[in-house]
Amino acid sequence: MIFSRKRAGAGRHTHDERTEVRDANELEAPVIPEAPARGPYDASEAPSGVQRLDLGSLQIPAVPDVEVRVQADQQGVIQQVVLVHGQNALQLGVFAAPRSEGIWDEVREEIRQSLFNDGAAAQEIEGEYGTELQARVRTQDGITDLRFVGVDGPRWMVRGVFQGDAATNPAAAGPLATCLEGLVVDRGHEAKPVREPLPLRLPREVAEQAGPGDAATAAAGEAREA
């Protein structure tokens, strides 16, 4: 909004009107959007000069003391990605989304309903990325707390599931939160069904070391520079 101080006198009044018109025209000039302050980033806007582990559609920043554990099949196609720091873990997934709108709200409701059907309590909470889902589930290891986070991007969605203290206390996520903030998604240009997992593959050097069907573990600190 533009404010101008008008004083008595036609000459001054006319000058102020011209000033207002000029300023308004300046404001109408196109504004180039800045890259977001934090990720997950689309590959088109990711900061350069950051070491990342390239898993294809998902690139994970190298953060000290964080392990990247991946479960892959015999062809090197990744089935699961889990980041581990101490007693906390963050499971990651990346999915195709429509161009026109995000899908996290819909996916979150389906997760909540599924948990409810399984007898698990779940509630929505507000977090740094908007509405999250906090749940307490029963596993073979006993009662486990989970925190589901979703981030909608251009034609993709990242879903993260925190476990450990980070599930109930976001401040405890520490380096795992740093990893989430530094993620890069390479969606590609191919048409994909909505919600289809985007393809993830082991880096060649890791795939060569992993036996068929083995769970391959790569240290994030060894991620090669993108």
Side-chain angles (χ1 to χ4, degrees), residues 176-191:
L176 296 180
T178 301
C179 288
L180 182 59
E181 293 175 2
L183 285 180
V184 174
V185 178
D186 188 351
R187 165 63 173 78
H189 301 290
E190 297 180 5

Side-chain angles (χ1 to χ4, degrees), residues 43-223:
S44 64
E45 58 191 14
S48 59
V50 178
Q51 283 190 327
R52 302 184 181 97
L53 182 67
D54 189 349
L55 301 180
S57 296
L58 201 59
Q59 299 170 18
I60 302 173
V63 176
D65 301 323
V66 173
E67 283 186 319
V68 182
R69 300 179 180 176
V70 296
Q71 181 77 37
D73 63 17
Q74 295 182 5
Q75 287 72 43
V77 177
I78 295 174
Q79 309 297 323
Q80 187 180 66
V81 180
V82 180
L83 312 186
V84 179
H85 178 261
Q87 300 300 312
N88 292 316
L90 172 61
Q91 182 179 353
L92 294 172
V94 59
F95 307 88
R99 184 186 303 273
S100 57
E101 59 184 357
I103 60 175
W104 171 236
D105 287 346
E106 184 177 346
V107 169
R108 185 181 66 252
E109 174 56 26
E110 292 180 0
I111 294 173
R112 188 195 67 78
Q113 187 62 49
S114 177
L115 290 167
F116 177 80
N117 292 340
D118 291 338
Q123 63 176 346
E124 292 187 342
I125 60 174
E126 289 302 312
E128 293 186 356
Y129 289 98
T131 306
E132 304 174 356
L133 194 65
Q134 198 171 66
R136 176 165 289 184
V137 300
R138 187 180 300 277
T139 68
Q140 295 179 349
D141 300 324
I143 299 299
T144 300
D145 289 307
L146 303 175
R147 179 163 59 93
F148 297 82
V149 177
V151 183
D152 288 312
R155 301 178 66 206
W156 52 258
M157 183 199 75
V158 168
R159 184 195 65 203
V161 185
F162 285 96
Q163 301 178 46
D165 291 341
T168 55
N169 178 17
L176 296 180
T178 301
C179 288
L180 182 59
E181 293 175 2
L183 285 180
V184 174
V185 178
D186 188 351
R187 165 63 173 78
H189 301 290
E190 297 180 5
K192 297 182 181 298
V194 173
R195 303 194 191 188
E196 178 178 293
L198 298 182
L200 299 173
R201 297 191 64 87
L202 291 173
R204 179 180 302 175
E205 61 272 22
V206 177
E208 291 174 350
Q209 298 174 7
D214 288 347
T217 303
E222 298 176 356

